[in-house]
Amino acid sequence: MAASVLRQISRELGPQEPARCQLLHSKKLPRVREHRGPLTQLWGHPPQWQPSFCVLHGDGRLEWFSHREEYENGDRPLGSTTLTGYTVLTSQREYLCLLDALCPDSSRDHTQEEPDPLLEMPVSFPLFLQHPFRQHLCFSAATGEAQRAWRLALQGGIRLRGTVLQRSQAPAARAFLDAIRLYRQQHGQFGNDDVTLGSDAEVLTSVLIQELLPALRAQTPPGLRGAGRARAWAWTKLLDAVHAAVLAGATAGLRAFQPEKEELLAALEKTIRPDVDQMLLLRARVASRLKAEVQGPLESCLRGKVDAQLPRITQTLLSTVEAELAAVRTLLTQGMDRLFRLLRGSSSSTQLRKEVYSFGEMPWDPELMQICYREAKRSRGQLGQLAALFGFFGIQSLVFGAQDLAQQLMADAVTTFLQLADQCLTTTLDCDQATQQLEKVRGRVLKKFQSDSSSARRTFIHSWLLCIFLPFVLSQLEPSCKAELLKFEGDVLAVGSPALTIEGIYEDVVRGFLLQRINRGGPLPLQDSDRSSLKEGALEWGCEGCVGVLRLKGGRENFKTWDTYLHLFIQITSPCFILSWH
């Protein structure tokens, strides 16, 4: 927690990153468009295919009722679930194959056993919601069109629920994810996967059930009733009961800890902020000495195991994000053009208001945004194979992150266009004058979008390259470098603050090396908008060998404090640096 507070204060003291954003930030909370309608569902005791009325709420919560009237009357639903961790399958054969793999002997020859009419009854337009630790939900739509609409809506809800912690910049959320990562590393699990999708209670539950799963599999399945797919179905029900119990305990524990957490955050803020400059300087000094100790094995690891694959993975990420952001720009341009056509065509005010509303809802239109989202999925197979070589299995998290990026940029661009349009349009303008003003707004928005998308692309790729390679490199270095950390522990302990740990500084050093490799060899060329911050009177930074170099042009008077830019550079490149004035 203390380290997260220190990072937060460091960011506050440095140049504010949002100030670089050209687009206005959308203040609308992340959500999904509410979706409801009739489906056929496998439910009841014993389970049977029965009609139901389902409602997907804007917060990603799914409810089902016997009839529409029960929902409209405000009655309690027959059941509900949050969509965190689910996967939507629309192929019955694929779902049955998944069931076959759930239990050790459930994949035997099904021709020798009595078929399960409920699971194997042909379903024309199925929607199977599969979860690794929860009971599966089986639905069927009446038409292919309804199936597609529900699939897109459900996928949006799954992503919304899954990325709640990844979207948060709060110190408590960062500290929780760090704690989960360190806990798993202490148990020999260095690679990233999708276990951190969900809320804090859901993530903690997934981690705990992963640890319980081997014992459950070894002890429980022989006692389950039935055989084959029926047994696999019973196994999902058992897992669901375990998941519910663990989730309830995790939720209660975290809720009880909430007041203490708030007090701890306030206390850390008061103790760290006055000494932040001293802490950052000490961190830089220790990092410089530590870097000399680990540089040899670290360079050997990077040359032997990372350098060969880094360009391929970087290029795959780059092409994926560029294709997705190009699709966002195309949709944005088409939306603005539709407004222009209506305005030139002297459409009715009612029709124009309807189109303006539709334009404002573009970021939350699942059918429309699917054009962008599918670009994030195209290379997941290739990227998954490459990243798996380094123990990274969080491809779903990566895809969700790319889709969140597309949605946020679209929301910001739409917000910017509507606000700028509102400022320049007045009742005194005729149709031609209004169109001319909107054309200017259109150009400004597209330039701002280009600037922000370029910056977001670079940040996204750097972030995920670190997610892929950093845990792998740390695992490779652990046998040889971990013992060296004891030499420096006394210097860190002398500070007397939990915000600085030798393990954290060590990880910063390794991260700095990786970022230098990424910046040196990755195909991430600067765009014109990127170069604007490197002109006269601004800062220049780069790498000379394995040492970061920060050059501040124009003299000290152009900058806040030396310490501010010191720790800014530490965050960007490496804890070890050379500072020069020109």
Side-chain angles (χ1 to χ4, degrees):
M1 184 80 78
S4 295
V5 172
L6 176 61
R7 286 196 296 268
Q8 177 74 14
I9 295 173
S10 300
R11 282 194 294 267
E12 291 175 3
L13 292 178
Q16 297 302 297
E17 190 68 20
R20 294 181 58 193
C21 297
Q22 301 295 313
L23 295 169
L24 299 173
H25 185 69
S26 173
K27 295 182 180 180
K28 291 186 177 180
L29 294 175
R31 59 185 170 88
V32 292
R33 181 176 290 180
E34 184 174 291
H35 193 79
R36 55 182 182 265
L39 291 172
T40 303
Q41 183 179 3
L42 186 62
W43 63 280
H45 302 283
Q48 297 180 4
W49 286 102
Q50 302 180 51
S52 65
F53 186 79
C54 298
V55 180
L56 174 63
H57 294 279
D59 60 356
R61 182 169 42 91
L62 181 67
E63 294 181 337
W64 51 92
F65 304 81
S66 295
H67 306 285
R68 175 192 292 268
E69 291 73 23
E70 293 180 357
Y71 163 69
E72 294 175 344
N73 293 335
D75 296 344
R76 289 174 60 88
L78 291 173
S80 65
T81 187
T82 57
L83 291 177
T84 310
Y86 278 98
T87 301
V88 183
L89 302 176
T90 55
S91 165
Q92 188 167 6
R93 174 176 295 184
E94 184 180 358
Y95 177 68
L96 292 178
C97 289
L98 185 147
L99 283 181
D100 294 344
L102 276 180
C103 290
D105 65 346
S106 65
S107 57
R108 58 194 176 95
D109 186 1
H110 295 284
T111 61
Q112 302 301 316
E113 67 181 52
E114 183 178 349
D116 188 329
L118 296 177
L119 295 175
E120 301 180 23
M121 181 175 65
V123 181
S124 299
F125 305 104
L127 290 158
F128 297 107
L129 285 171
Q130 178 268 335
H131 192 288
F133 309 131
R134 304 184 68 178
Q135 185 174 9
H136 301 173
L137 300 173
C138 302
F139 299 95
S140 177
T143 65
E145 182 180 358
Q147 180 197 48
R148 174 179 171 80
W150 270 107
R151 176 176 62 82
L152 296 180
L154 291 169
Q155 287 174 341
I158 292 168
R159 176 170 58 86
L160 177 72
R161 300 291 306 194
T163 58
V164 60
L165 286 176
Q166 281 76 1
R167 293 193 307 267
S168 175
Q169 295 300 317
R174 298 291 96 194
F176 177 81
L177 290 175
D178 285 344
I180 292 293
R181 177 176 54 82
L182 292 173
Y183 172 81
R184 301 182 79 202
Q185 287 181 5
Q186 290 170 2
H187 290 74
Q189 296 175 287
F190 280 86
N192 282 317
D193 55 24
D194 294 323
V195 74
T196 54
L197 289 175
S199 66
D200 51 2
E202 290 167 332
V203 169
L204 187 56
T205 299
S206 295
V207 171
L208 294 174
I209 290 185
Q210 277 190 347
E211 296 181 354
L212 293 172
L213 202 55
L216 285 173
R217 286 192 178 281
Q219 299 173 17
T220 309
L224 293 178
R225 295 180 180 179
R229 290 167 181 166
R231 183 178 172 194
W233 182 260
W235 168 245
T236 68
K237 294 178 66 176
L238 173 65
L239 275 182
D240 188 72
V242 174
H243 183 278
V246 176
L247 179 62
T251 301
L254 289 170
R255 185 181 297 117
F257 176 63
Q258 183 65 28
E260 182 181 347
K261 181 179 72 174
E262 293 175 355
E263 292 177 5
L264 179 60
L265 282 170
L268 288 171
E269 171 78 17
K270 291 180 181 179
T271 57
I272 292 175
R273 189 173 288 276
D275 299 325
V276 64
D277 292 340
Q278 179 183 353
M279 290 182 184
L280 293 171
L281 286 172
L282 174 63
R283 184 174 72 175
R285 286 198 295 267
V286 173
S288 180
R289 295 168 51 204
L290 182 58
K291 189 170 186 178
E293 295 286 339
V294 305
Q295 182 170 344
L298 182 51
E299 279 286 352
S300 177
C301 174
L302 294 177
R303 283 196 305 267
K305 300 183 178 181
V306 172
D307 287 352
Q309 294 297 333
L310 177 59
R312 293 183 63 191
I313 294 179
T314 303
Q315 184 58 52
T316 304
L317 278 172
L318 179 63
S319 60
T320 298
V321 176
E322 284 184 337
E324 183 183 48
L325 296 183
V328 174
R329 180 187 174 94
T330 298
L331 284 179
L332 177 65
T333 303
Q334 291 173 349
M336 291 187 291
D337 289 346
R338 282 195 300 271
L339 290 176
F340 294 156
R341 285 196 297 270
L342 286 175
L343 191 60
R344 293 191 189 100
S346 301
S347 302
S348 66
S349 59
T350 301
Q351 186 178 3
L352 191 57
R353 279 196 299 270
K354 182 179 178 181
E355 189 61 38
V356 169
Y357 174 79
S358 297
F359 180 79
E361 286 293 301
M362 280 173 57
W364 296 276
D365 186 331
E367 183 70 40
L368 193 65
M369 291 300 293
Q370 183 64 19
I371 299 171
C372 308
Y373 296 159
R374 67 187 177 205
E375 295 294 343
K377 300 178 183 178
R378 290 190 192 279
S379 59
R380 67 178 297 166
Q382 178 189 4
L383 191 57
Q385 291 177 356
L386 292 172
L389 299 173
F390 301 93
F392 178 83
F393 298 99
I395 293 298
Q396 186 63 75
S397 299
L398 193 156
V399 170
F400 281 170
Q403 293 173 340
D404 278 351
L405 174 63
Q407 187 176 48
Q408 187 62 58
L409 281 171
M410 176 66 86
D412 293 348
V414 165
T415 297
T416 303
F417 177 84
L418 292 177
Q419 183 157 331
L420 291 178
D422 183 64
Q423 292 172 359
C424 73
L425 295 180
T426 65
T427 56
T428 60
L429 299 178
D430 60 28
C431 184
D432 290 338
Q433 292 172 328
T435 302
Q436 291 174 1
Q437 290 295 321
L438 287 181
E439 286 284 3
K440 294 179 181 179
V441 170
R442 177 184 185 274
R444 290 177 62 189
V445 169
L446 290 177
K447 286 182 179 179
K448 292 174 184 290
F449 176 84
Q450 182 62 31
S451 173
D452 284 12
S453 62
S454 177
S455 175
R457 176 202 63 175
R458 202 166 51 254
T459 301
F460 178 87
I461 294 175
H462 279 183
S463 173
W464 283 102
L465 286 175
L466 286 175
C467 285
I468 293 170
F469 289 108
L470 181 58
F472 172 79
V473 174
L474 290 173
S475 69
Q476 296 295 304
L477 295 177
E478 186 179 29
S480 59
C481 295
K482 213 56 183 289
E484 302 293 331
L485 302 185
L486 296 176
K487 300 178 184 178
F488 306 93
E489 199 159 19
D491 293 338
V492 176
L493 291 176
V495 178
S497 172
L500 284 183
T501 64
I502 189 60
E503 291 82 5
I505 297 174
Y506 166 67
E507 189 169 307
D508 284 342
V509 170
V510 178
R511 181 183 290 107
F513 267 95
L514 266 176
L515 279 174
Q516 290 172 17
R517 268 307 200 278
I518 292 168
N519 291 327
R520 185 178 70 184
L524 296 172
L526 286 175
Q527 304 296 316
D528 291 340
S529 57
D530 304 325
R531 294 190 177 92
S532 62
S533 62
L534 301 179
K535 295 179 180 179
E536 194 70 30
L539 64 86
E540 285 187 346
W541 67 274
C543 300
E544 295 181 2
C546 295
V547 180
V549 181
L550 180 63
R551 297 183 178 88
L552 304 179
K553 290 188 173 183
R556 293 176 181 260
E557 65 276 5
N558 288 347
F559 304 96
K560 293 182 180 178
T561 65
W562 184 86
D563 293 333
T564 294
Y565 282 87
L566 164 66
H567 70 256
L568 169 66
F569 188 65
I570 289 172
Q571 292 172 356
I572 295 177
T573 54
S574 169
C576 307
F577 64 93
I578 294 174
L579 184 69
S580 63
W581 301 91
H582 293 267

